[in-house]
Amino acid sequence: MLFKILTRSTIGRFSKDGGRDDAHSMDYLLERDNIIDRRISRFVAFYYVVEATNMTIKQVFPISERLWSMLSQGFLVLLACSMAFSIRYVLRRTHRAFFLVELVCVIFFVASFLMGHASAGLLLQQAFRTLCVNVPLAFHAASVRSKEILYDVMLKTSYVLILMLNLVFITNRQQAYYYSMSTSYALLVPTLVQASAFFEKRRAINLIFFLLAVSGMALYGARGPLVSVVAFFVFWYLASPRKLVYKFWVGLLGGLLALFLTLVWDQMLGTLLAFLQSRGIYSRTLHLLYTGSLLQTSGRDQLFDYYVALAKQKPLLGWGLFGGWINDASSPHNMLIELLMAFGVLGGGLLIIAAVAFMVRVFFIKDRGLKQLALIYAARNVGKFFFSGRFLSDDWLVFVALCICSMSRASLHTTYDERGIVSESATHNRINSVSLG
């Protein structure tokens, strides 16, 4: 409401003092909004750049592992300095919601500490990460009024991220049985951004960077990111505004291609593995796929059984945040189990229903830029439901924030048809939007 009042008063002042008409005043306000959106969006992109740079330096350069913690802290300070410049714009737009969410998180962390089921060190570490990094990142994404600006900034940044993270694979390719789960997951968001850009504009450069990233994941990364890539294709197909006839032919061709690959899969994959082996390259993911062990849980089934048994011991209220965890590395690796562990059957069950509802909500978003980002982050978080977990992680909170934006009157309602033409009502809705703060 405050934004609407300020908008009206500003327009009136321009018309009286400067003699400008309302159209020029609206253009000025829109340009001012766009400048702020770009500043906020740059922080979101900078977060991923800092994360990728930290990871690349540690795995490319011969730095002692004893210095890794110091390096991470240095990048955290750099991230905090960047946030100091952008958080003021975020708070102007979302201060009430921001402080409310922070307060709720503090209450849950304090309650979990008082319950005494979680390691104090783990709880403190996760509280700092959630309150000072993940929640602010989510509100940065939410406070960008034109999500197309955020999407455009993320697209430009994704080129650098893909090249940087693939450098990790290239420099370590001579190591026997080299494998990096963290690098492949860091590649996932920029990879999905490139896939989205290719589907939208059919540019060769986006396809090249997408294939470069996927190749790195398949050769040296984990299986989880590839599952998210497949999920993105499915989501995009279902959410596409194309006509039913177009979807039918795409689905038919996709089915025929899948059938063909099934018939020649063993021979094709065996030839590929033999070629890679002759070049001294071993791909854990492709080897698991060839031997039919792609679905093996890598010890996760034992963790699932352990944490399900713990959840049954406290079915009503649960164990609290991170309660009962063995350690940070041996987490439940399943968001559904995590929620039941933390909040019990009632609270956890409601949150699971909400999480599924957010996934479904993606297909009903009308705003173009918001829908592109929501599809990307929905696919990114598919693995969290079954083999990854972490409902307080950065990408999951960003996804939740984007879905909430789609249900808010403050979001833009820029619809688009089969040709990608944006509705003319977008400008009017931006001027008359209501601030989340």
Side-chain angles (χ1 to χ4, degrees):
M1 203 65 184
L2 178 61
F3 179 72
K4 184 184 292 186
I5 295 173
L6 290 176
T7 301
R8 289 174 178 171
S9 63
T10 305
I11 292 175
R13 185 169 67 251
F14 279 144
S15 298
K16 182 183 297 184
D17 299 338
R20 302 182 183 180
D21 56 22
D22 286 352
H24 290 162
S25 301
M26 291 173 66
D27 289 341
Y28 169 79
L29 291 171
L30 283 174
E31 181 58 30
R32 183 169 172 269
D33 255 5
N34 289 340
I35 292 173
I36 294 175
D37 283 347
R38 291 188 190 97
R39 290 174 179 173
I40 298 174
S41 299
R42 286 179 190 130
F43 171 79
V44 178
F46 184 68
Y47 168 80
Y48 288 103
V49 171
V50 167
E51 185 182 55
T53 304
N54 183 28
M55 190 176 301
T56 302
I57 291 177
K58 290 177 180 177
Q59 299 191 52
V60 170
F61 298 100
I63 299 176
S64 172
E65 292 187 11
R66 293 177 297 178
L67 300 177
W68 282 17
S69 177
M70 186 182 302
L71 184 64
S72 297
Q73 292 172 6
F75 278 112
L76 189 61
V77 172
L78 184 63
L79 190 67
C81 293
S82 176
M83 187 188 298
F85 290 98
S86 59
I87 193 67
R88 54 177 175 159
Y89 302 114
V90 175
L91 294 180
R92 287 176 188 173
R93 296 178 173 182
T94 63
H95 60 277
R96 292 177 185 173
F98 179 83
F99 289 119
L100 178 61
V101 171
E102 289 277 334
L103 178 61
V104 170
C105 289
V106 169
I107 291 174
F108 276 116
F109 275 106
V110 171
S112 298
F113 176 76
L114 295 177
M115 291 173 70
H117 300 310
S119 164
L122 176 61
L123 205 58
L124 182 62
Q125 175 188 352
Q126 295 298 328
F128 175 80
R129 176 79 185 187
T130 301
L131 298 171
C132 300
V133 180
N134 296 348
V135 170
L137 178 68
F139 271 92
H140 273 75
S143 63
V144 176
R145 290 193 173 120
S146 175
K147 295 299 188 290
E148 291 192 19
I149 291 178
L150 176 58
Y151 174 80
D152 185 60
V153 172
M154 293 286 288
L155 176 59
K156 292 176 180 177
T157 309
S158 66
Y159 295 103
V160 178
L161 294 176
I162 290 175
L163 292 176
M164 185 186 303
L165 292 169
N166 267 280
L167 182 63
V168 175
F169 294 145
I170 294 173
T171 55
N172 290 279
R173 70 185 187 281
Q174 299 299 331
Q175 295 185 26
Y177 307 108
Y178 176 72
Y179 166 76
S180 178
M181 178 186 295
S182 58
T183 305
S184 58
Y185 272 105
L187 262 174
L188 185 51
V189 169
T191 302
L192 297 180
V193 171
Q194 289 290 336
S196 177
F198 174 73
F199 287 146
E200 181 186 13
K201 298 182 178 179
R202 300 295 193 274
R203 295 193 308 175
I205 186 66
N206 299 127
L207 179 61
I208 292 172
F209 270 81
F210 169 76
L211 293 177
L212 176 64
V214 170
S215 299
M217 292 179 189
L219 293 177
Y220 304 107
R223 294 164 288 174
L226 296 178
V227 172
S228 290
V229 171
V230 174
F232 177 77
F233 290 154
V234 175
F235 289 171
W236 176 84
Y237 173 78
L238 296 175
S240 173
R242 300 280 188 173
K243 290 183 179 180
L244 186 60
V245 175
Y246 174 85
K247 289 187 175 182
F248 169 78
W249 285 110
V250 171
L252 179 61
L253 292 175
L256 292 175
L257 178 61
L259 178 61
F260 172 75
L261 291 177
T262 301
L263 296 176
V264 301
W265 187 252
D266 289 341
Q267 180 180 359
M268 182 178 66
L269 197 57
T271 303
L272 177 60
L273 286 173
F275 172 77
L276 293 175
Q277 187 174 4
S278 67
R279 297 295 187 275
I281 300 174
Y282 171 81
S283 171
R284 176 179 179 269
T285 298
L286 294 180
H287 180 74
L288 291 174
L289 188 61
Y290 182 68
T291 57
S293 305
L294 188 65
L295 298 180
Q296 73 174 20
T297 59
S298 301
R300 286 185 176 87
D301 51 348
Q302 299 177 3
L303 290 174
F304 295 161
D305 294 340
Y306 173 78
Y307 285 111
V308 167
L310 283 183
K312 291 179 180 179
Q313 294 179 17
K314 297 180 181 294
L316 294 180
L317 299 179
W319 291 75
L321 297 177
F322 307 100
W325 282 31
I326 300 173
N327 52 48
D328 189 30
S330 300
S331 65
H333 282 81
N334 184 300
M335 192 169 73
L336 307 181
I337 298 177
E338 278 186 24
L339 291 171
L340 294 175
M341 277 279 298
F343 303 106
V345 174
L346 296 178
L350 291 175
L351 290 174
I352 289 173
I353 293 174
V356 175
F358 284 138
M359 283 288 182
V360 175
R361 172 63 188 170
V362 171
F363 301 101
F364 298 94
I365 297 175
K366 299 299 182 183
D367 178 73
R368 180 176 188 149
L370 181 56
K371 188 165 190 173
Q372 289 172 317
L373 291 169
L375 285 171
I376 289 169
Y377 279 93
R380 164 65 182 90
N381 287 290
V382 163
K384 293 187 182 297
F385 282 88
F386 307 108
F387 49 80
S388 178
R390 303 303 178 96
F391 64 89
L392 289 177
S393 64
D394 48 6
D395 290 331
W396 175 254
L397 292 184
V398 169
F399 171 67
V400 171
L402 293 173
C403 289
I404 293 175
C405 280
S406 71
M407 297 180 283
S408 169
R409 289 187 300 166
S411 63
L412 305 182
H413 301 288
T414 54
T415 58
Y416 56 99
D417 59 16
E418 299 170 12
R419 297 168 296 171
I421 299 178
V422 181
S423 169
E424 294 180 357
S425 62
T427 301
H428 180 269
N429 287 331
R430 287 200 65 181
I431 287 296
N432 292 284
S433 63
V434 181
S435 174
L436 288 174

